[in-house]
Amino acid sequence: QVQLAESGGGLVQPGMSLRLSCAFAGIDFSAYDMAWYRQAPGSQRELVAKIYTVHTTNYARPVKGRFTISRDNDEKLVFLQMTSLKPEDTAVYYCYAKRPYMAGPEYWGQGTQVTVSL
C-alpha cells in the first residue's frame, strides 16, 4: 500500500515563490509515475505537472515556464517548485502516484492549500 503526504502550502503574494513537497510512504517509489494536481473552489481538479519513472516531465500550459516538478528517488520525495505565482494558482494541490502500464490503483494525498493574494 502507498500513502502520500503533501507539505509546503501557504499564503503568498503574487510574484512570490513556494515549494511543495510530497512524501511517498511505501515500496518501489522509483517504479511510480508521480504528478501534482490542483483544484480551485468551484472548479474541476486539473493536472499541473507529471514526472515519469524515467524522469521526463509534462506541464499544463498555465504553469509551463513557472513551475518545476522533480523527484528524489533516494528520499522518496517529489517536489513542485512554483515561481512567479499568480492569484489564479490559488487551489488545493494534491500529490498523485500510479504505476505505469498496469491497471492498478491510483493514490492521492490529502492536499495542501496554496493561496496567492495581495
Side-chain angles (χ1 to χ4, degrees):
Q1 196 57 250
V2 170
Q3 289 183 304
L4 305 173
E6 304 96 335
S7 62
L11 172 63
V12 297
Q13 294 184 335
M16 300 298 290
S17 298
L18 205 60
R19 188 198 198 202
L20 306 183
S21 299
C22 173
F24 178 104
I27 62 173
D28 297 328
F29 171 71
S30 63
Y32 283 79
D33 291 337
M34 303 295 297
W36 288 96
Y37 287 75
R38 68 186 182 186
Q39 187 168 21
S43 301
Q44 297 184 59
R45 188 172 298 187
E46 64 178 2
L47 175 69
V48 177
K50 284 185 177 180
I51 184 164
Y52 298 91
T53 57
V54 294
H55 289 236
T56 55
T57 57
N58 176 261
Y59 297 93
R61 192 198 313 159
V63 309
K64 194 169 187 177
R66 299 188 297 120
F67 291 9
T68 301
I69 188 171
S70 61
R71 66 192 296 164
D72 183 335
N73 285 345
D74 291 334
E75 300 297 329
K76 299 197 292 184
L77 293 171
V78 61
F79 304 100
L80 186 67
Q81 179 67 49
M82 305 182 293
T83 63
S84 302
L85 282 162
K86 304 175 180 179
E88 50 262 46
D89 295 319
T90 296
V92 178
Y93 284 71
Y94 297 92
C95 188
Y96 166 96
K98 174 74 171 64
R99 292 182 68 106
Y101 317 120
M102 302 174 65
E106 300 174 324
Y107 300 98
W108 295 89
Q110 291 296 108
T112 185
Q113 177 71 48
V114 173
T115 302
V116 185
S117 180
L118 294 170

